Amino acid sequence: MNMSEPAQFKTEALRGELSFDADMRLHTSWRAGGKAQRMYRPADLADLQVFLRQLPEGEALLAVGLGSNLLVRDGGFRGTVLLMHGALNELRMDGNLIYVQAGVAGAKLARFAAANQFCGAEFFVGIPGTLGGMLAMNAGCYGSETWQKVQRVQVLTRGGELLERNAGEYEIAYRHVALRNTSEEFFAAAWLQLETGDVDAARREIKLLMEKRSASQPLQQPNAGSVFRNPEGGHAAKLIEGCGLKGKSIGGAQVSAKHANFIVNTGDATAADIENLINAVQATVLQQTGIELHPEVRIIGDMK
Ligand SMILES: Cc1cc2nc3c(=O)[nH]c(=O)nc-3n(C[C@H](O)[C@H](O)[C@H](O)COP(=O)(O)OP(=O)(O)OC[C@H]3O[C@@H](n4cnc5c(N)ncnc54)[C@H](O)[C@@H]3O)c2cc1C
């Protein structure tokens, strides 16, 4: 597919960067996959609103943070990627709440919270995504989840309208978030409510969590964190390891020897290698244990 197409956008009023045939390997932590037909990195929230207001009807949109939970197939994404990281970056106190925009990374948020005498945001430090991606996934670890900390969110509609929604308007579960009345909206920001507490302890916890992660996860090789959701009452990694799949590879994709629920790119993996390995792991685990694993990673785009 030739991704280059004449711009249908009225670019004169825009302050951000519009690009074409954007290589999604540069915007996903797996460092694999195809191109996005168009990509827009807004200058700020107001600029993103202007962009959305003049969007051609029917244009497919995909919000992307740090791409740390995303596989874009080798045939690419027909539509526009909205790049939030490096764009929606505001992070400040708002009364006793933290106002954080969708493009802010987890580690920055955790450190900002500790610096402002708050506890309970330490877990964000090890999640290499943005607030927007963490809201979309209800990302979490070590017993904490993103939405436990959310008082309300600011969302953008497809038409560029900015709205506020309370956490109660969403259906929230393990790695699952949905608006009760489904519609196409993007997370622009959130107000987080945290407890004040022993900040030195929070800082120590941040350090400890980082060390724990580098001891147990293959952080030197491109990956997307846990590939599968944990099944009810079990651990995907244990099941995969129990089936003898550690080290199994297809093309440049390999089940990590360090953490069985991680698939690493050993250098030249295509998105198809990764997806085929996901499917192979799923089939073997089902065959050997009767348990069906479901991917946590989002897979989008066209096959080549
Ligand atoms: C080494 C490693 C460790 C990890 N550890 C954890 C962990 O402990 N716990 C955990 O939960 N996850 C973990 N992950 C997975 C990943 O970091 C999280 O899912 C994170 O929330 C993804 O954020 P992102 O900004 O990279 O989202 P992306 O990968 O860019 O996007 C993920 C999904 O969110 C959507 N999205 C992104 N931004 C927005 C927005 N503003 N509005 C609406 N939708 C949006 C995208 O369209 C996509 O569907 C890990 C990943 C890696 C690589």
Side-chain angles (χ1 to χ4, degrees):
M1 161 171 60
N2 176 10
M3 292 283 193
S4 303
E5 267 185 18
Q8 305 157 356
F9 301 101
K10 302 181 206 88
T11 50
E12 58 289 351
L14 299 174
R15 291 178 288 118
E17 291 160 43
L18 179 66
S19 54
F20 298 87
D21 283 346
D23 187 346
M24 289 305 290
R25 287 179 301 182
L26 304 175
H27 301 283
T28 53
S29 60
W30 252 321
R31 300 281 179 258
K35 294 180 174 180
Q37 210 168 16
R38 287 174 278 275
M39 174 176 281
Y40 191 64
R41 190 199 292 267
D44 52 30
L45 184 52
D47 182 56
L48 180 54
Q49 284 183 274
V50 173
F51 180 79
L52 288 171
R53 280 191 208 118
Q54 50 95 64
L55 195 72
E57 214 178 296
E59 176 75 0
L61 289 178
L62 178 73
V64 172
L66 279 159
S68 61
N69 203 49
L70 191 63
L71 184 63
V72 179
R73 293 193 177 103
D74 302 308
F77 175 68
R78 287 169 197 267
T80 300
V81 162
L82 301 174
L83 211 55
M84 303 294 198
H85 184 59
L88 270 59
N89 279 336
E90 215 178 307
L91 175 60
R92 60 175 162 83
M93 292 306 303
D94 186 4
N96 57 358
L97 302 176
I98 294 180
Y99 173 80
V100 48
Q101 287 192 338
V104 173
K108 193 170 172 191
L109 172 58
R111 295 199 167 98
F112 179 85
N116 283 281
Q117 320 298 315
F118 289 111
C119 294
E122 299 80 78
F123 75 100
F124 287 121
V125 80
I127 304 179
T130 59
L131 175 84
M134 294 191 290
L135 288 170
M137 298 302 304
N138 193 19
C141 52
Y142 309 122
S144 298
E145 286 181 343
T146 303
W147 280 85
Q148 293 168 344
K149 314 294 174 190
V150 174
Q151 193 228 38
R152 63 191 204 276
V153 289
Q154 201 172 31
V155 297
L156 271 171
T157 64
R158 205 196 137 81
E161 196 185 352
L162 202 55
L163 306 173
E164 280 185 26
R165 293 194 182 279
N166 292 318
E169 291 179 63
Y170 294 86
E171 187 186 279
I172 295 159
Y174 166 65
R175 304 292 175 270
H176 169 87
V177 180
L179 193 57
R180 290 183 206 279
N181 305 317
T182 314
S183 61
E184 199 179 1
E185 291 182 358
F186 305 97
F187 293 112
W191 284 267
L192 305 184
Q193 194 158 31
L194 297 163
E195 312 267 301
T196 46
D198 182 347
V199 176
D200 287 336
R203 289 215 175 91
R204 281 197 298 276
E205 180 74 2
I206 287 175
K207 195 162 170 270
L208 205 74
L209 293 181
M210 294 302 283
E211 286 165 5
K212 208 164 156 181
R213 278 180 180 262
S214 68
S216 63
Q217 299 180 352
L219 302 181
Q220 277 70 41
Q221 287 168 299
N223 69 79
S226 293
V227 171
F228 295 100
R229 301 151 61 94
N230 285 323
E232 191 85 34
H235 282 104
K238 277 193 188 146
L239 291 169
I240 297 167
E241 189 169 353
C243 291
L245 290 166
K246 265 190 169 177
K248 179 180 169 62
S249 56
I250 294 182
Q254 186 176 46
V255 176
S256 165
K258 201 165 179 184
H259 191 310
N261 199 18
F262 278 48
I263 287 179
V264 295
N265 178 351
T266 58
D268 57 357
T270 60
D273 292 339
I274 295 170
E275 193 171 3
N276 290 338
L277 188 54
I278 292 173
N279 293 337
V281 168
Q282 203 176 23
T284 305
V285 171
L286 180 62
Q287 193 188 28
Q288 292 193 22
T289 69
I291 297 171
E292 190 176 357
L293 292 178
H294 297 282
E296 176 176 321
V297 291
R298 301 271 174 97
I299 302 174
I300 59 117
D302 299 328
M303 304 265 189
K304 208 162 192 173

Short mmCIF file of all heavy atoms in Angstrom, two decimals, residues 160-193:
data_model
loop_
_atom_site.label_atom_id
_atom_site.label_comp_id
_atom_site.label_asym_id
_atom_site.label_seq_id
_atom_site.Cartn_x
_atom_site.Cartn_y
_atom_site.Cartn_z
N GLY A 160 -13.43 17.64 18.52
CA GLY A 160 -12.56 18.63 19.16
C GLY A 160 -13.15 19.29 20.39
O GLY A 160 -12.58 20.24 20.92
N GLU A 161 -14.30 18.80 20.85
CA GLU A 161 -14.92 19.39 22.04
C GLU A 161 -14.24 18.83 23.29
O GLU A 161 -13.96 17.63 23.37
CB GLU A 161 -16.41 19.02 22.04
CG GLU A 161 -17.23 19.86 22.98
CD GLU A 161 -18.69 19.38 23.05
OE1 GLU A 161 -19.06 18.50 22.25
OE2 GLU A 161 -19.40 19.86 23.92
N LEU A 162 -13.98 19.73 24.26
CA LEU A 162 -13.32 19.31 25.50
C LEU A 162 -14.37 19.13 26.59
O LEU A 162 -15.14 20.06 26.88
CB LEU A 162 -12.33 20.40 25.90
CG LEU A 162 -11.17 20.05 26.82
CD1 LEU A 162 -10.34 18.89 26.31
CD2 LEU A 162 -10.29 21.28 27.03
N LEU A 163 -14.42 17.93 27.19
CA LEU A 163 -15.42 17.64 28.21
C LEU A 163 -14.75 17.12 29.46
O LEU A 163 -13.63 16.60 29.40
CB LEU A 163 -16.37 16.51 27.74
CG LEU A 163 -17.09 16.65 26.41
CD1 LEU A 163 -17.82 15.35 26.08
CD2 LEU A 163 -18.08 17.80 26.50
N GLU A 164 -15.45 17.22 30.58
CA GLU A 164 -14.96 16.58 31.81
C GLU A 164 -15.88 15.42 32.15
O GLU A 164 -17.10 15.53 32.00
CB GLU A 164 -14.96 17.58 32.97
CG GLU A 164 -13.76 18.48 32.93
CD GLU A 164 -13.66 19.40 34.14
OE1 GLU A 164 -14.19 19.05 35.20
OE2 GLU A 164 -13.05 20.46 33.98
N ARG A 165 -15.30 14.32 32.58
CA ARG A 165 -16.10 13.15 32.99
C ARG A 165 -15.61 12.66 34.34
O ARG A 165 -14.40 12.64 34.60
CB ARG A 165 -15.98 12.02 31.98
CG ARG A 165 -16.60 12.33 30.64
CD ARG A 165 -16.75 11.07 29.81
NE ARG A 165 -17.29 11.36 28.50
CZ ARG A 165 -18.58 11.55 28.26
NH1 ARG A 165 -19.46 11.48 29.23
NH2 ARG A 165 -19.00 11.82 27.03
N ASN A 166 -16.55 12.20 35.16
CA ASN A 166 -16.17 11.61 36.44
C ASN A 166 -15.76 10.16 36.23
O ASN A 166 -16.25 9.51 35.29
CB ASN A 166 -17.35 11.64 37.41
CG ASN A 166 -17.67 13.07 37.79
OD1 ASN A 166 -16.76 13.86 38.05
ND2 ASN A 166 -18.93 13.40 37.79
N ALA A 167 -14.92 9.66 37.12
CA ALA A 167 -14.48 8.26 37.02
C ALA A 167 -15.68 7.32 36.98
O ALA A 167 -15.66 6.30 36.28
CB ALA A 167 -13.57 7.93 38.20
N GLY A 168 -16.77 7.68 37.68
CA GLY A 168 -17.96 6.83 37.76
C GLY A 168 -18.66 6.60 36.42
O GLY A 168 -19.49 5.71 36.30
N GLU A 169 -18.33 7.42 35.41
CA GLU A 169 -18.98 7.24 34.11
C GLU A 169 -18.36 6.10 33.31
O GLU A 169 -18.85 5.73 32.25
CB GLU A 169 -18.88 8.53 33.29
CG GLU A 169 -19.72 9.65 33.87
CD GLU A 169 -19.59 10.93 33.05
OE1 GLU A 169 -19.98 10.93 31.88
OE2 GLU A 169 -19.08 11.93 33.61
N TYR A 170 -17.23 5.56 33.83
CA TYR A 170 -16.53 4.50 33.09
C TYR A 170 -16.74 3.14 33.74
O TYR A 170 -16.87 3.05 34.97
CB TYR A 170 -15.02 4.80 33.02
CG TYR A 170 -14.72 6.03 32.21
CD1 TYR A 170 -14.76 7.29 32.79
CD2 TYR A 170 -14.43 5.93 30.86
CE1 TYR A 170 -14.51 8.43 32.04
CE2 TYR A 170 -14.19 7.07 30.10
CZ TYR A 170 -14.22 8.31 30.70
OH TYR A 170 -13.98 9.42 29.94
N GLU A 171 -16.74 2.12 32.87
CA GLU A 171 -16.76 0.75 33.36
C GLU A 171 -15.28 0.37 33.50
O GLU A 171 -14.55 0.38 32.50
CB GLU A 171 -17.42 -0.06 32.26
CG GLU A 171 -17.73 -1.48 32.54
CD GLU A 171 -18.25 -2.09 31.25
OE1 GLU A 171 -19.43 -1.91 30.94
OE2 GLU A 171 -17.43 -2.72 30.55
N ILE A 172 -14.84 0.10 34.73
CA ILE A 172 -13.41 -0.11 34.95
C ILE A 172 -13.16 -1.48 35.56
O ILE A 172 -13.82 -1.87 36.52
CB ILE A 172 -12.87 1.00 35.89
CG1 ILE A 172 -12.97 2.36 35.19
CG2 ILE A 172 -11.43 0.73 36.30
CD1 ILE A 172 -12.94 3.52 36.12
N ALA A 173 -12.22 -2.20 34.97
CA ALA A 173 -11.86 -3.52 35.50
C ALA A 173 -10.37 -3.74 35.23
O ALA A 173 -9.67 -2.82 34.80
CB ALA A 173 -12.70 -4.60 34.84
N TYR A 174 -9.91 -4.95 35.47
CA TYR A 174 -8.50 -5.30 35.26
C TYR A 174 -8.13 -5.06 33.78
O TYR A 174 -8.69 -5.71 32.90
CB TYR A 174 -8.30 -6.77 35.67
CG TYR A 174 -7.00 -7.40 35.21
CD1 TYR A 174 -5.77 -6.94 35.66
CD2 TYR A 174 -7.02 -8.46 34.32
CE1 TYR A 174 -4.59 -7.53 35.23
CE2 TYR A 174 -5.84 -9.07 33.90
CZ TYR A 174 -4.64 -8.59 34.35
OH TYR A 174 -3.47 -9.16 33.92
N ARG A 175 -7.21 -4.14 33.54
CA ARG A 175 -6.75 -3.75 32.19
C ARG A 175 -7.92 -3.50 31.24
O ARG A 175 -7.87 -3.82 30.05
CB ARG A 175 -5.82 -4.83 31.59
CG ARG A 175 -4.63 -5.17 32.41
CD ARG A 175 -3.60 -4.06 32.53
NE ARG A 175 -2.56 -4.48 33.44
CZ ARG A 175 -2.58 -4.27 34.75
NH1 ARG A 175 -3.58 -3.59 35.32
NH2 ARG A 175 -1.61 -4.70 35.51
N HIS A 176 -8.99 -2.93 31.77
CA HIS A 176 -10.17 -2.67 30.94
C HIS A 176 -10.83 -1.36 31.37
O HIS A 176 -11.06 -1.15 32.56
CB HIS A 176 -11.17 -3.83 31.10
CG HIS A 176 -12.52 -3.52 30.50
ND1 HIS A 176 -12.82 -3.75 29.18
CD2 HIS A 176 -13.65 -2.98 31.04
CE1 HIS A 176 -14.07 -3.36 28.94
NE2 HIS A 176 -14.59 -2.90 30.05
N VAL A 177 -11.11 -0.51 30.39
CA VAL A 177 -11.81 0.75 30.64
C VAL A 177 -12.76 1.02 29.48
O VAL A 177 -12.35 0.92 28.33
CB VAL A 177 -10.81 1.94 30.71
CG1 VAL A 177 -11.54 3.25 30.97
CG2 VAL A 177 -9.77 1.71 31.77
N ALA A 178 -14.00 1.30 29.77
CA ALA A 178 -14.93 1.64 28.69
C ALA A 178 -15.91 2.68 29.19
O ALA A 178 -16.31 2.66 30.35
CB ALA A 178 -15.67 0.40 28.22
N LEU A 179 -16.25 3.57 28.28
CA LEU A 179 -17.26 4.57 28.59
C LEU A 179 -18.61 3.87 28.51
O LEU A 179 -18.85 3.08 27.61
CB LEU A 179 -17.15 5.68 27.55
CG LEU A 179 -17.88 6.99 27.83
CD1 LEU A 179 -17.43 7.59 29.16
CD2 LEU A 179 -17.59 7.96 26.70
N ARG A 180 -19.48 4.14 29.49
CA ARG A 180 -20.76 3.42 29.48
C ARG A 180 -21.56 3.68 28.20
O ARG A 180 -22.10 2.78 27.61
CB ARG A 180 -21.58 3.78 30.73
CG ARG A 180 -20.94 3.18 31.97
CD ARG A 180 -21.77 3.45 33.20
NE ARG A 180 -20.94 3.45 34.39
CZ ARG A 180 -20.54 2.36 35.04
NH1 ARG A 180 -20.88 1.18 34.62
NH2 ARG A 180 -19.78 2.45 36.11
N ASN A 181 -21.65 4.97 27.79
CA ASN A 181 -22.30 5.25 26.49
C ASN A 181 -21.19 5.38 25.47
O ASN A 181 -20.59 6.43 25.34
CB ASN A 181 -23.08 6.57 26.54
CG ASN A 181 -24.07 6.57 27.67
OD1 ASN A 181 -24.75 5.57 27.89
ND2 ASN A 181 -24.14 7.67 28.39
N THR A 182 -20.94 4.31 24.75
CA THR A 182 -19.77 4.27 23.88
C THR A 182 -19.76 5.42 22.85
O THR A 182 -20.75 5.70 22.23
CB THR A 182 -19.72 2.93 23.12
OG1 THR A 182 -19.96 1.91 24.05
CG2 THR A 182 -18.39 2.72 22.45
N SER A 183 -18.60 6.08 22.75
CA SER A 183 -18.41 7.08 21.70
C SER A 183 -16.91 7.26 21.53
O SER A 183 -16.15 6.82 22.38
CB SER A 183 -19.06 8.40 22.09
OG SER A 183 -18.47 8.88 23.26
N GLU A 184 -16.51 7.90 20.43
CA GLU A 184 -15.07 8.03 20.18
C GLU A 184 -14.51 9.26 20.90
O GLU A 184 -14.77 10.39 20.50
CB GLU A 184 -14.81 8.11 18.68
CG GLU A 184 -13.38 7.78 18.35
CD GLU A 184 -13.09 7.82 16.85
OE1 GLU A 184 -14.00 8.13 16.07
OE2 GLU A 184 -11.95 7.57 16.49
N GLU A 185 -13.79 9.00 21.96
CA GLU A 185 -13.20 10.09 22.73
C GLU A 185 -11.76 9.73 23.07
O GLU A 185 -11.41 8.56 23.14
CB GLU A 185 -13.97 10.31 24.04
CG GLU A 185 -15.35 10.86 23.83
CD GLU A 185 -16.11 11.12 25.13
OE1 GLU A 185 -15.58 10.81 26.22
OE2 GLU A 185 -17.22 11.60 25.03
N PHE A 186 -10.97 10.76 23.31
CA PHE A 186 -9.57 10.55 23.69
C PHE A 186 -9.33 11.19 25.05
O PHE A 186 -9.93 12.21 25.37
CB PHE A 186 -8.64 11.20 22.66
CG PHE A 186 -8.91 10.71 21.29
CD1 PHE A 186 -9.71 11.43 20.42
CD2 PHE A 186 -8.41 9.48 20.88
CE1 PHE A 186 -10.01 10.94 19.16
CE2 PHE A 186 -8.70 8.99 19.63
CZ PHE A 186 -9.50 9.71 18.77
N PHE A 187 -8.45 10.60 25.81
CA PHE A 187 -8.12 11.19 27.10
C PHE A 187 -7.16 12.35 26.86
O PHE A 187 -6.13 12.19 26.20
CB PHE A 187 -7.47 10.16 28.03
CG PHE A 187 -8.44 9.07 28.43
CD1 PHE A 187 -8.27 7.77 27.99
CD2 PHE A 187 -9.52 9.37 29.24
CE1 PHE A 187 -9.17 6.77 28.35
CE2 PHE A 187 -10.43 8.37 29.61
CZ PHE A 187 -10.25 7.08 29.16
N ALA A 188 -7.51 13.51 27.42
CA ALA A 188 -6.63 14.68 27.29
C ALA A 188 -5.87 14.91 28.58
O ALA A 188 -4.73 15.37 28.57
CB ALA A 188 -7.46 15.91 26.96
N ALA A 189 -6.49 14.59 29.72
CA ALA A 189 -5.85 14.84 31.02
C ALA A 189 -6.65 14.17 32.13
O ALA A 189 -7.76 13.67 31.88
CB ALA A 189 -5.78 16.34 31.29
N ALA A 190 -6.09 14.18 33.32
CA ALA A 190 -6.83 13.66 34.49
C ALA A 190 -6.46 14.48 35.71
O ALA A 190 -5.39 15.10 35.77
CB ALA A 190 -6.49 12.20 34.72
N TRP A 191 -7.37 14.50 36.67
CA TRP A 191 -7.08 15.05 37.99
C TRP A 191 -6.92 13.86 38.93
O TRP A 191 -7.85 13.04 39.06
CB TRP A 191 -8.22 15.93 38.48
CG TRP A 191 -8.25 17.29 37.83
CD1 TRP A 191 -7.67 18.42 38.30
CD2 TRP A 191 -8.92 17.65 36.62
NE1 TRP A 191 -7.92 19.48 37.46
CE2 TRP A 191 -8.69 19.04 36.41
CE3 TRP A 191 -9.68 16.95 35.67
CZ2 TRP A 191 -9.20 19.72 35.30
CZ3 TRP A 191 -10.19 17.63 34.58
CH2 TRP A 191 -9.94 19.00 34.40
N LEU A 192 -5.76 13.73 39.52
CA LEU A 192 -5.50 12.59 40.40
C LEU A 192 -5.59 13.02 41.86
O LEU A 192 -5.13 14.10 42.23
CB LEU A 192 -4.10 12.01 40.14
CG LEU A 192 -3.76 11.61 38.70
CD1 LEU A 192 -2.38 10.98 38.64
CD2 LEU A 192 -4.79 10.65 38.13
N GLN A 193 -6.16 12.13 42.64
CA GLN A 193 -6.31 12.40 44.07
C GLN A 193 -5.41 11.42 44.81
O GLN A 193 -5.60 10.21 44.70
CB GLN A 193 -7.76 12.14 44.46
CG GLN A 193 -8.12 12.68 45.80
CD GLN A 193 -9.63 12.88 45.92
OE1 GLN A 193 -10.40 12.14 45.30
NE2 GLN A 193 -10.04 13.86 46.67
#
